Amino acid sequence: MGVIDSETVSISLPLSGRDGDQVIAYATQMTGGWRVSDMGTTLMRLSYENDLSKLLTGARQKLFSSILAESGLQEHDGEIFTEVPADALTGGLFTLGQGVIRLEDLGLWTQNRVESTFYDDLKAIIADIVPDADLVENYIVPNIEGAENYPVDFYIKTQSNPLYLFGVLNKDKAMLSTIIIQHLRASGAKFDAMVVYQDIDAVPRQHTKRLMSAANDTVASIGERDAIKEKIEHRRAA
């Protein structure tokens, strides 16, 4: 245990981060209890190997917030902390330590994991809007030669032309979605196309322009749930 100032002490926890260093907690006395903090060291360590402006976006940002909530932690200006009663310091130290270890694993997330989370989230949003009977995932358009090579992420039944919805995580998916939409239309399929990006700003502009020209509706971010719902309901009612 080390003394930082008259109100704060540092405590080495029996836990190690990904870099092998022990996790250090900082306990500060406050009225009626303790504030147990990492003093910003968790995000600082993550920044050594990652661009935080990119790491804490999209699916990773959602996981970051989820870990904080599940662990009973808060974040402010890069500092991870919890506040506990005077007789619960040990529990607060354990809570911080376990949460910090989980947060450091954000740097290990692979692109496949991020992609899986994005599509799971998109599917959940759509499922809240569209009944199961009117929704098909990984839809193969009938009566189209080679249709298995041009799958649609989500088929949504409407009162007229079906709505084909595509989730776009990156430039490769933007290019593929453009090709699929254009091929299906050239083959005579009648449908409306909608695109939902994880983050449109993360996709090069030339690819978003081509896809916007091919699609009927575009939502710039999966975080815009109201826009997704509005556009789907509009197409289903048309």
Side-chain angles (χ1 to χ4, degrees):
M1 180 181 295
V3 177
I4 305 300
D5 55 39
S6 62
E7 297 181 339
T8 303
V9 295
S10 63
I11 303 168
S12 296
L13 303 181
L15 298 167
S16 298
R18 286 178 49 227
D19 57 6
D21 291 343
Q22 275 190 292
V23 176
I24 306 296
Y26 300 85
T28 302
Q29 284 186 312
M30 50 184 288
T31 302
W34 296 90
R35 178 186 176 99
V36 183
S37 163
D38 74 339
M39 290 291 191
T41 55
T42 303
L43 291 183
M44 181 179 69
R45 285 196 295 270
L46 279 170
S47 72
Y48 294 156
E49 299 177 346
N50 304 274
D51 180 346
L52 292 184
S53 65
K54 294 181 180 178
L55 179 67
L56 297 181
T57 58
R60 288 186 179 95
Q61 174 62 53
K62 181 175 181 180
L63 179 61
F64 178 81
S65 298
S66 177
I67 292 173
L68 289 178
E70 291 171 5
S71 302
L73 297 173
Q74 303 177 61
E75 184 271 333
H76 177 70
D77 200 22
E79 178 187 11
I80 310 299
F81 67 93
T82 185
E83 295 179 348
V84 298
D87 61 353
L89 177 57
T90 300
L93 293 171
F94 179 79
T95 293
L96 180 74
Q98 291 295 312
V100 162
I101 294 300
R102 290 183 65 192
L103 289 171
E104 285 197 12
D105 285 343
L106 282 171
L108 298 177
W109 264 43
T110 64
Q111 184 64 26
N112 286 341
R113 180 79 181 275
V114 173
E115 181 173 350
S116 174
T117 300
F118 167 67
Y119 287 107
D120 286 347
D121 289 348
L122 181 57
K123 180 179 179 180
I125 292 171
I126 297 170
D128 283 342
I129 304 167
V130 181
D132 288 346
D134 293 344
L135 178 64
V136 180
E137 188 176 3
N138 298 320
Y139 180 67
I140 304 301
V141 181
N143 304 318
I144 300 291
E145 185 176 355
E148 65 277 5
N149 298 317
Y150 302 90
V152 174
D153 289 347
F154 298 96
Y155 161 96
I156 298 173
K157 184 178 180 180
T158 76
Q159 295 184 25
S160 55
N161 290 334
L163 177 62
Y164 294 170
L165 191 150
F166 298 83
V168 175
L169 182 69
N170 51 39
K171 71 173 183 179
D172 291 336
K173 186 56 187 293
M175 294 170 63
L176 179 61
S177 298
T178 302
I179 292 170
I180 291 174
I181 293 170
Q182 291 177 338
H183 175 79
L184 292 176
R185 287 209 166 110
S187 299
K190 302 298 182 182
F191 63 94
D192 292 311
M194 177 175 168
V195 173
V196 177
Y197 288 88
Q198 175 173 285
D199 178 7
I200 196 171
D201 292 333
V203 179
R205 183 168 175 76
Q206 66 268 31
H207 298 300
T208 61
K209 288 179 65 177
R210 294 190 190 103
L211 186 49
M212 289 177 71
S213 296
N216 302 91
D217 296 309
T218 298
V219 178
S221 167
I222 192 172
E224 299 178 20
R225 290 175 177 249
D226 289 344
I228 296 171
K229 180 178 180 180
E230 179 182 349
K231 291 181 183 296
I232 290 177
E233 290 182 342
H234 170 74
R235 291 294 175 184
R236 279 173 55 79

